[in-house]
């Protein structure tokens, strides 16, 4: 048995015995349970010499013995989000919002975002530059997501209780920043699309080919808007990000928070 599995077994037993110790009216039984608890904590001290055993117990209870995430909310109440399957990128209970936001981002990037590329949507010069800025925001989301997933992986491999606690603090900070980045990206996309769609509907020329039918290349995995007009695809995209922003709640943080 590896050290993590052994620790989980010990902490489970400690929590079970603590319940017996607190509720048993029998003094002899309580004394015996107390002795067993001392032995188990001594074993933890041997596994993690020089470390705070109470902190190790709490870390493993919170992050490895927590009730598994149940089937999360679906998005059936939303017209464009209803087909998005929420993935458990993180197994931790307090990362539910991250799983939802990241699932929306992945779905959007794979199936919808490509419609705004120059291959499909022709924009005037200034708006083409604004589109490039949105790509940079998406790149930032993907970088934050990659860093976050690496921390999740590091936690799974961690053997030191102290290191595990540090990683969980880092995970929490990175989760908040990732949520901020995704929200900021969707908000920027919404603002951009509102502007170009509105201007086009009033006869403007920000979108140079609004009525052109979407045709996907063979290498494109998803042909979500095949046969639809460019304007239809952009309106759908606008609705998707608007609905996504109803789901994603941004915590009160500063983007520059160090991790």
């Amino acid at each position: 048995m590896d050290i993590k599995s052994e620790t989980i077994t010990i902490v489970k037993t400690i929590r079970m015995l603590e319940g017996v110790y607190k509720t048993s009216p029998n003094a002899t039984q309580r004394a015996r349970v107390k002795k067993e608890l001392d032995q188990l904590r001594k074993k933890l001290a041997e596994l993690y010499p020089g470390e705070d055993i109470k902190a190790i117990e709490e870390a493993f209870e919170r992050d490895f013995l927590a009730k598994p995430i149940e089937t999360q909310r679906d998005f059936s109440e939303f017209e464009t989000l209803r087909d998005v399957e929420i993935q458990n990128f993180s197994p931790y209970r307090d990362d539910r919002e991250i799983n939802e936001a990241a699932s929306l981002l992945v779905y959007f990037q794979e199936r919808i975002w490509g419609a705004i590329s120059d291959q499909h949507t022709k924009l005037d010069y200034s708006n083409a530059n604004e589109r490039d800025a949105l790509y940079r925001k998406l790149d930032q989301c993907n970088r934050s997501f990659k860093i976050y997933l690496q921390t999740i992986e590091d936690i799974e491999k961690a053997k030191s209780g102290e290191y595990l606690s540090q990683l969980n603090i880092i995970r929490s900070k990175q989760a908040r920043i990732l949520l901020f980045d995704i929200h900021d990206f969707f908000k920027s996309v919404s603002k951009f699309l509102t502007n170009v769609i509105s201007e086009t509907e009033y006869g403007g020329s920000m979108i140079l080919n609004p009525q052109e039918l979407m045709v996907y290349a063979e290498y494109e995995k998803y042909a979500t808007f095949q046969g639809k007009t460019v304007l239809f695809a952009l309106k759908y995209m606008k609705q998707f990000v608007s609905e996504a922003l109803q789901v994603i709640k941004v915590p009160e943080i500063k983007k520059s928070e160090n991790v």
Side-chain angles (χ1 to χ4, degrees):
M1 182 184 296
D2 60 47
I3 188 171
K4 184 176 296 182
S5 299
E6 186 173 2
T7 304
I8 289 173
T9 299
I10 292 173
V11 174
K12 280 183 177 180
T13 306
I14 287 174
R15 292 297 179 257
M16 180 188 68
L17 290 176
E18 283 181 334
V20 175
Y21 183 80
K22 291 176 182 178
T23 59
S24 176
N26 187 303
T28 302
Q29 184 183 38
R30 283 166 56 85
R32 184 174 66 251
V33 169
K34 177 65 167 57
K35 183 178 180 180
E36 291 177 8
L37 286 169
D38 290 343
Q39 291 174 342
L40 289 168
R41 289 191 167 109
K42 181 180 178 181
K43 179 61 178 177
L44 283 180
E46 293 173 357
L47 293 175
Y48 302 96
E51 297 190 25
D52 185 339
I53 300 305
K54 183 178 180 181
I56 291 172
E57 288 181 33
E58 291 175 350
F60 273 83
E61 183 177 34
R62 180 178 65 249
D63 297 318
F64 294 98
L65 304 182
K67 184 179 180 181
I69 295 177
E70 298 175 354
T71 301
Q72 301 198 51
R73 66 176 289 182
D74 59 35
F75 297 127
S76 57
E77 63 195 278
F78 298 103
E79 184 177 349
T80 63
L81 308 186
R82 61 181 53 158
D83 293 328
V84 179
E85 180 181 351
I86 301 175
Q87 302 179 57
N88 284 339
F89 296 106
S90 167
Y92 304 106
R93 290 182 299 178
D94 56 342
D95 281 348
R96 178 183 59 81
E97 291 180 345
I98 290 296
N99 287 332
E100 292 176 357
S103 296
L104 289 171
L105 179 70
V106 170
Y107 184 95
F108 179 78
Q109 187 170 350
E110 288 183 347
R111 300 170 186 258
I112 298 174
W113 178 240
I116 205 173
S117 67
D118 184 62
Q119 176 183 337
H120 297 296
T121 301
K122 307 301 180 184
L123 298 172
D124 65 9
Y125 180 77
S126 62
N127 285 286
N129 286 336
E130 287 195 38
R131 174 176 56 192
D132 291 342
L134 295 177
Y135 273 99
R136 290 192 290 273
K137 284 182 178 288
L138 179 57
D139 286 343
Q140 177 59 44
C141 288
N142 288 327
R143 283 194 295 271
S144 296
F145 192 26
K146 182 178 180 180
I147 292 170
Y148 170 78
L149 291 177
Q150 182 60 57
T151 300
I152 296 291
E153 184 177 335
D154 290 343
I155 289 173
E156 294 298 319
K157 297 177 180 178
K159 295 182 179 180
S160 164
E162 182 179 356
Y163 183 46
L164 181 64
S165 297
Q166 292 173 351
L167 285 174
N168 273 299
I169 292 172
I170 292 172
R171 172 181 64 86
S172 179
K173 291 181 179 180
Q174 289 175 345
R176 294 195 299 272
I177 291 175
L178 174 58
L179 204 60
F180 178 97
D181 285 339
I182 295 173
H183 184 275
D184 182 56
F185 170 65
F186 280 145
K187 186 176 180 180
S188 297
V189 172
S190 179
K191 181 179 179 181
F192 174 77
L193 291 175
T194 297
N195 185 36
V196 297
I197 290 172
S198 176
E199 197 269 352
T200 298
E201 289 182 326
Y202 280 97
S205 58
M206 288 183 176
I207 304 173
L208 304 178
N209 62 335
Q211 299 306 321
E212 182 176 314
L213 298 183
M214 299 279 291
V215 178
Y216 286 83
E218 290 186 4
Y219 64 80
E220 294 180 275
K221 185 175 181 180
Y222 296 101
T224 306
F225 303 110
Q226 182 74 27
K228 302 292 186 180
T229 67
V230 168
L231 186 59
F232 174 91
L234 297 186
K235 285 183 175 180
Y236 187 98
M237 186 184 297
K238 168 66 168 61
Q239 183 176 351
F240 185 99
V241 296
S242 296
E243 291 179 354
L245 288 169
Q246 295 179 47
V247 172
I248 302 171
K249 307 300 181 185
V250 179
E252 295 295 326
I253 65 167
K254 294 181 179 179
K255 176 62 177 67
S256 60
E257 182 175 17
N258 294 325
V259 296

